[in-house]
Amino acid sequence: MKNKFLLYLFLALNLISCGVRKSIKHLPDIQSYSLEIPKVDKLNDSTFSFNQNYLTKNKQQLWELYIKGNPLQLGYSNGALTKDLMQTQEKIFFSKVEDIVPSKLKQNLLRGFLKWYNRKMYLNIREDFQAELYGLSQYSSDQYDFIAPKFQRALYLHGAHDIGHAMQDLMMVGCSSLAVWDNNTEDGDLLIGRNFDFYAGDDFAKNKLIQFVEPENGIPYLSVSWPGMIGVVSGMNKEGVTVTINAGKSTIPLTAKTPISLVAREILQYAKTIDEAIKIARKRKVFVSESILVGSAADKKAVIIEVSPKKFGVYDVANSDAVICTNHFQSEAYQNDKRNQKHQKESHSEYRYKKLRELLEQNKKLNPEKMASILRDKSGLKHQSIGLGNEKAINQLLAHHAVIFSPEKKLVWVSSNPYQLGEFVCYDLNEIFSDKRLKNGKFAKSEMNIPEDPFVNSQEFENYEVYKLMQSEILDAIKKDNIILGDNFTAKFQALNPDLWSGYFLAGKYYYKFKNYQRAKIEFEKALTKEITTLPEKEKILKFLKKSERKSK
């Protein structure tokens, strides 16, 4: 009770602070920008336009958005064209929060905490990005105004990746990236592949949005994310500079600063070389640890910029023709960082790094098709079967998207659902940011698409989809007291994905809950024979096993 009282007092004191009130009332200065309020023409159920701005859905079910203008106009045009999609995405996200925090009291505390925690975020975001966010936020749903005013909510959503990552080390992002050039590619050109393994539910990943943005100032660029997002998690500009972000192990900061996606956005819009990208990243104050893999057509190579609240490093290996990026730091600045060392030892980041190295050695002279096969690889080291959905795999079967960049050719391939298994759609930035696109009305260079993975039509994949549904059932049974599963449920569940450790661990937890300690012991022992994702997970299984052994005597 004492701790709860202190928490309530802490929040109450901060919620009435000057800093919180000021941040909630803050609006950007938009007076200097001209604006035409968009009047959207609906051409059909999946095609909308306003002047030269355009939104359409392609046959692979990817949404394609083209916008141009000053920051305020970009925001308004984006919001007007994607309004329904953006409001749907907002609903999915906040529903996810409600699922995680079902208590109304705790939701109120969370809202209060967010207002306090984000009180300085606007001070760390460029004025032009704030103007764009303001325009976009005018099309947000009224339904969530109780959380925060629309503009502030737009800021919160752009920091959601960082906040979740910092507060709980959720690691909803366990991404893998690979850049190769010279002797490692078929034509010697730079080639980059990345999996964005951010998972906020299947519904969140349905409406992928590819944005083609032509800003009044800066460089036109492509970005792959979701409706309502002006930040960048994966993208390339017309100069052939690419950015992809990979989360690292982070300390818990005292206040939000610049969201990583907006640092990546600034690099895309304003950098033509790696050096320019480094200068931009260095001057921004961030509040989580992140690796930003930056490729450059001008430099014909890639480096990793490693940022955190207290340190800054660049991983640039001389005389190398490959860079691998997972979720631990590699630059000299972090060599003695104990948190990073612990993360390397305990997480699945080092395993995926070794797997990418193994795949690179086995696949000489990469091209886009070979890169796609690497991004889709589901096996463990030495081709071991480690179970579908294992986070030690390069393809964890939860990716929001995968992207392949050919910076010197200005070509980008973007995966379509499900995960990175669907067809990779090709885009030519030289054509899109020219009169050619306006004449033919098409975004994709379809003749260069990479076919879908045959695995998507297999019985094994069908089994995995059923496995995920049954996993939800057993998780509910573990959490709730009124659910009892059928006699053969766990056997059927495990048979659908026999090599994945968590199927046995969940079965063990289910039997442990109902005091069937002997059966629980057997399941925990089976789990320990599989490739377990992290050291903490293995330790958790060992603890359950010891308790089961003790209670079964």
Side-chain angles (χ1 to χ4, degrees):
M1 285 299 292
K2 183 181 178 183
N3 287 339
K4 281 188 177 181
F5 172 77
L6 289 173
L7 175 63
Y8 297 156
L9 180 63
F10 171 76
L11 288 169
L13 287 171
N14 281 292
L15 285 177
I16 61 172
S17 73
C18 176
V20 171
R21 288 200 302 270
K22 190 173 181 181
S23 69
I24 286 294
K25 292 180 179 179
H26 170 76
L27 291 174
D29 182 4
I30 60 173
Q31 298 303 314
S32 61
Y33 299 113
S34 61
L35 174 66
E36 181 182 353
I37 301 295
K39 293 180 180 178
V40 174
D41 292 322
K42 182 177 179 180
L43 307 182
N44 56 52
D45 287 344
S46 60
T47 306
F48 309 85
S49 70
F50 158 64
N51 292 343
Q52 291 182 28
N53 304 278
Y54 202 74
L55 174 70
T56 189
K57 183 191 272 190
N58 65 25
K59 69 175 184 178
Q60 292 83 10
Q61 305 303 298
L62 298 171
W63 287 96
E64 300 164 337
L65 173 71
Y66 177 87
I67 52 175
K68 66 182 298 183
N70 67 52
L72 187 64
Q73 190 68 62
L74 286 177
Y76 266 88
S77 299
N78 188 341
L81 288 165
T82 67
K83 178 181 176 181
D84 291 344
L85 295 174
M86 184 170 68
Q87 291 190 5
T88 297
Q89 211 72 7
E90 199 175 13
K91 184 176 182 180
I92 291 167
F93 182 83
F94 286 119
S95 296
K96 186 81 175 175
V97 173
E98 287 177 3
D99 288 342
I100 296 170
V101 188
S103 161
K104 293 296 182 185
L105 173 61
K106 289 181 180 177
Q107 286 174 18
N108 286 334
L109 287 172
L110 179 61
R111 283 199 297 274
F113 172 76
L114 284 174
K115 289 173 184 176
W116 172 78
Y117 189 77
N118 289 314
R119 68 196 183 280
K120 293 184 179 178
M121 187 188 285
Y122 75 96
L123 298 172
N124 292 279
I125 295 176
R126 293 171 56 107
E127 288 291 333
D128 54 348
F129 290 175
Q130 287 193 45
E132 186 174 343
L133 278 170
Y134 175 82
L136 181 72
S137 70
Q138 301 312 296
Y139 297 89
S140 296
S141 171
D142 296 332
Q143 184 179 350
Y144 301 103
D145 287 351
F146 68 95
I147 295 173
K150 288 182 171 62
F151 173 70
Q152 277 70 26
R153 222 160 61 234
L155 291 181
Y156 295 178
L157 288 170
H158 277 75
H161 158 87
D162 310 64
I163 293 166
H165 165 34
M167 288 301 138
Q168 296 185 30
D169 260 340
L170 291 176
M171 290 305 292
M172 289 189 292
V173 184
C175 311
S176 303
S177 304
L178 172 66
V180 288
W181 59 95
D182 290 346
N183 293 324
N184 275 319
T185 60
E186 196 172 70
D187 56 9
D189 282 0
L190 176 61
L191 187 68
I192 298 167
R194 80 93 97 251
N195 285 336
F196 185 62
D197 291 316
F198 175 87
Y199 187 72
D202 290 343
D203 287 339
F204 189 85
K206 279 181 182 174
N207 290 321
K208 292 181 178 64
L209 180 66
I210 304 165
Q211 299 185 48
F212 305 95
V213 182
E214 197 158 352
E216 185 178 64
N217 296 311
I219 306 162
Y221 65 88
L222 168 151
S223 171
V224 186
S225 57
W226 46 87
M229 180 71 157
I230 74 160
V232 173
V233 295
S234 306
M236 182 169 84
N237 69 24
K238 195 181 176 184
E239 296 289 334
V241 167
T242 71
V243 292
T244 63
I245 63 173
N246 287 32
K249 188 73 171 178
S250 194
T251 54
I252 299 175
L254 294 175
T255 182
K257 293 182 181 176
T258 311
I260 286 291
S261 69
L262 292 179
V263 178
R265 158 71 186 271
E266 186 173 358
I267 290 171
L268 268 200
Q269 189 171 338
Y270 294 102
K272 296 181 180 180
T273 65
I274 287 171
D275 283 346
E276 290 178 5
I278 292 170
K279 285 177 183 175
I280 289 168
R282 195 185 291 276
K283 70 183 179 184
R284 294 296 165 210
K285 294 178 181 178
V286 299
F287 61 107
V288 292
S289 301
E290 201 92 10
S291 296
I292 308 173
L293 190 145
V294 177
S296 165
D299 298 290
K300 297 181 182 293
K301 68 172 188 177
V303 304
I304 304 171
I305 302 173
E306 298 176 342
V307 299
S308 67
K310 294 181 180 178
K311 294 180 184 176
F312 185 93
V314 177
Y315 184 62
D316 182 6
V317 184
N319 303 316
S320 175
D321 49 13
V323 171
I324 294 171
C325 183
T326 50
N327 298 102
H328 62 271
F329 292 140
Q330 303 173 64
S331 68
E332 191 175 333
Y334 294 89
Q335 287 305 305
N336 298 316
D337 187 289
K338 291 182 180 178
R339 182 175 284 270
N340 186 52
Q341 290 171 348
K342 185 172 185 282
H343 184 54
Q344 262 183 280
K345 182 182 176 183
E346 295 185 351
S347 76
H348 44 76
S349 180
E350 181 73 20
Y351 188 98
R352 282 182 288 112
Y353 182 92
K354 289 177 180 176
K355 180 62 183 178
L356 278 174
R357 178 65 65 189
E358 180 182 272
L359 288 168
L360 183 56
E361 289 171 358
Q362 293 166 357
N363 294 272
K364 304 296 184 183
K365 304 292 183 183
L366 292 183
N367 58 27
E369 289 75 19
K370 288 180 181 178
M371 182 66 82
S373 71
I374 287 176
L375 297 178
R376 289 166 168 171
D377 192 284
K378 302 174 292 296
S379 67
L381 289 169
K382 298 180 181 178
H383 300 290
Q384 177 190 357
S385 179
I386 58 175
L388 298 176
N390 193 317
E391 290 175 345
K392 283 188 169 179
I394 303 305
N395 177 7
Q396 302 171 20
L397 291 172
L398 54 71
H400 181 274
H401 63 261
V403 187
I404 298 167
F405 301 108
S406 180
E408 290 163 78
K409 296 182 181 71
K410 311 300 189 294
L411 296 174
V412 183
W413 288 263
V414 182
S415 69
S416 56
N417 285 334
Y419 319 116
Q420 62 275 69
L421 301 175
E423 189 174 10
F424 274 79
V425 181
C426 181
Y427 298 97
D428 184 340
L429 296 198
N430 281 329
E431 287 191 8
I432 288 168
F433 295 117
S434 71
D435 291 341
K436 286 185 179 180
R437 184 197 64 81
L438 295 174
K439 288 173 184 174
N440 65 29
K442 294 179 181 177
F443 289 99
K445 207 172 181 68
S446 301
E447 67 275 14
M448 294 182 70
N449 287 3
I450 298 171
E452 70 177 10
D453 189 333
F455 173 73
V456 79
N457 297 308
S458 69
Q459 183 63 51
E460 195 179 9
F461 179 68
E462 192 175 315
N463 288 348
Y464 176 69
E465 294 293 281
V466 177
Y467 176 89
K468 285 204 305 178
L469 294 173
M470 293 184 76
Q471 180 176 264
S472 297
E473 291 182 56
I474 196 168
L475 283 168
D476 282 344
I478 292 166
K479 289 176 187 174
K480 300 171 185 176
D481 294 329
N482 58 344
I483 299 176
I484 297 176
L485 302 173
D487 293 340
N488 297 321
F489 182 93
T490 57
K492 288 178 181 176
F493 172 57
Q494 291 163 349
L496 291 167
N497 197 0
D499 294 320
L500 188 64
W501 68 276
S502 57
Y504 304 94
F505 178 50
L506 291 175
K509 286 179 73 176
Y510 172 76
Y511 290 120
Y512 184 91
K513 176 187 174 179
F514 288 101
K515 300 181 180 180
N516 188 343
Y517 300 118
Q518 191 59 42
R519 184 69 186 273
K521 174 178 171 291
I522 292 168
E523 298 297 342
F524 292 136
E525 287 173 339
K526 286 180 187 174
L528 289 167
T529 67
K530 307 299 179 181
E531 189 65 59
I532 298 165
T533 305
T534 66
L535 185 59
E537 292 288 3
K538 186 173 184 177
E539 290 171 348
K540 198 185 295 183
I541 297 169
L542 287 167
K543 283 182 182 177
F544 267 106
L545 178 59
K546 285 180 181 178
K547 288 195 285 186
S548 299
E549 287 173 337
R550 190 171 66 250
K551 292 187 176 186
S552 63
K553 290 178 181 177

